[in-house]
Amino acid sequence: MAGGGSRNWRLVRADTDAVPPSARRFMARARQRRLRAAMPWLIGAGALLVVGGLVWLVYGTPVLGVREVRVVGAQILTPEQVRAAAAVEPELPLARVDLDEVSSRIRQLPPVDRVVVSRSWPSAVVIEVVERTAVAAVPARDDQFVLIDDDGVPFRAVAAPPEGLPLARLGTPGAGDENTGSALTVLAALSDELREQLVAIAVPSPVQIRLELRNGRVVIWGDDTKSERKSTVATVLLKQKGDEIDVSAVKVVTIR
């Protein structure tokens, strides 16, 4: 047995020793070349696995899902009203939240002028709201008043107009209403002195605009053309006595 084992060992040694050193070096270099050639593929496959795992984590699981909807800038509206309109699904992967769709839903709220919706990683949707600013209050039914902004958009009903806000006597207030547009043109042109005295602007038609001032004084404005010039003239005439100032024809003004 011992002799046979020795012979086998010698045969193995003989087979190994029979390979010349140059051939062994050639085979080693060949293995290294194959390894180097395969390395980019191995690295690429590993990178794809990592990227695929991250994509699945971000888009396919609630690990980075919505856990907070943060509302900034709401004053007329409550944060709860904005969140309800946004209708963001809890734990929906944050990356899958359609920001444009959320913005579109929030803009349906009448008091909202502009809105910006963004992601705050890892788990929050941030809604920044800019609400409309009232420029006049329109008397409505049931002793209510409807506030309109500088685009003529009615956006809020109140029991009493805010202090310092003029009334706008309009039949059908709205962004596309001709009388509303005329009222806004005149309001934008008023001097500080006229604005301070103004109680209401009445527009039964685009050519019958009238300002109602304190102490029962009235300014007959006519139409909304040359409103800057009419404002300048009416401001000067405020210092004179008279209950009615007519600037409808700027070149021929009267005061009675």
Side-chain angles (χ1 to χ4, degrees):
M1 292 292 291
S6 176
R7 283 195 299 273
N8 289 340
W9 181 84
R10 282 196 297 272
L11 287 173
V12 172
R13 290 288 297 175
D15 290 342
T16 304
D17 292 341
V19 180
S22 60
R24 289 199 297 270
R25 288 193 297 271
F26 176 79
M27 289 187 291
R29 286 196 294 269
R31 284 194 298 269
Q32 290 174 354
R33 285 195 297 270
R34 288 195 297 270
L35 182 60
R36 285 196 296 269
M39 189 61 67
W41 295 98
L42 294 173
I43 293 173
L48 286 175
L49 287 173
V50 171
V51 171
L54 289 175
V55 170
W56 177 76
L57 180 70
V58 172
Y59 286 89
T61 75
V63 172
L64 297 178
V66 177
R67 289 174 173 77
E68 179 187 7
V69 177
R70 193 180 311 148
V71 179
V72 180
Q75 296 179 344
I76 298 172
L77 296 165
T78 66
E80 289 73 20
Q81 288 174 314
V82 177
R83 291 190 189 99
V88 178
E89 181 183 343
E91 298 192 359
L92 176 71
L94 189 59
R96 287 171 49 193
V97 175
D98 189 330
L99 302 184
D100 290 337
E101 182 66 26
V102 173
S103 298
S104 178
R105 289 195 290 264
I106 295 171
R107 283 196 297 270
Q108 301 306 310
L109 296 171
V112 174
D113 186 15
R114 299 186 303 279
V115 60
V116 177
V117 181
S118 59
R119 299 179 180 89
S120 179
W121 297 95
S123 59
V125 173
V126 180
I127 301 172
E128 300 177 72
V129 173
V130 177
E131 294 177 332
R132 300 184 187 277
T133 300
V135 297
V138 181
R141 296 178 179 178
D142 302 323
D143 296 325
Q144 294 282 304
F145 297 85
V146 175
L147 304 185
I148 60 173
D149 70 353
D150 57 2
D151 289 324
V153 176
F155 65 92
R156 187 185 182 190
V158 294
E163 185 177 355
L165 196 68
L167 299 181
R169 305 192 192 282
L170 301 166
T172 55
D177 177 62
E178 187 176 9
N179 291 356
T180 301
S182 294
L184 295 174
T185 298
V186 174
L187 287 174
L190 295 183
S191 65
D192 292 340
E193 293 88 343
L194 277 173
R195 192 176 300 277
E196 183 180 352
Q197 293 289 321
L198 184 64
V199 174
I201 179 170
V203 190
S205 79
V207 296
Q208 294 179 305
I209 303 170
R210 184 178 71 255
L211 305 184
E212 300 173 9
L213 308 182
R214 293 179 183 174
N215 300 320
R217 303 185 82 184
V218 174
V219 178
I220 306 301
W221 204 270
D223 60 23
D224 62 9
T225 61
K226 301 180 181 179
S227 285
E228 297 284 350
R229 177 61 177 160
K230 291 176 182 179
S231 174
T232 300
V233 173
T235 300
V236 173
L237 295 178
L238 282 177
K239 301 173 183 178
Q240 300 184 25
K241 293 182 179 180
D243 295 330
E244 183 179 285
I245 300 169
D246 190 338
V247 294
S248 57
V250 181
K251 293 183 180 180
V252 185
V253 299
T254 60
I255 182 167
R256 293 188 289 273

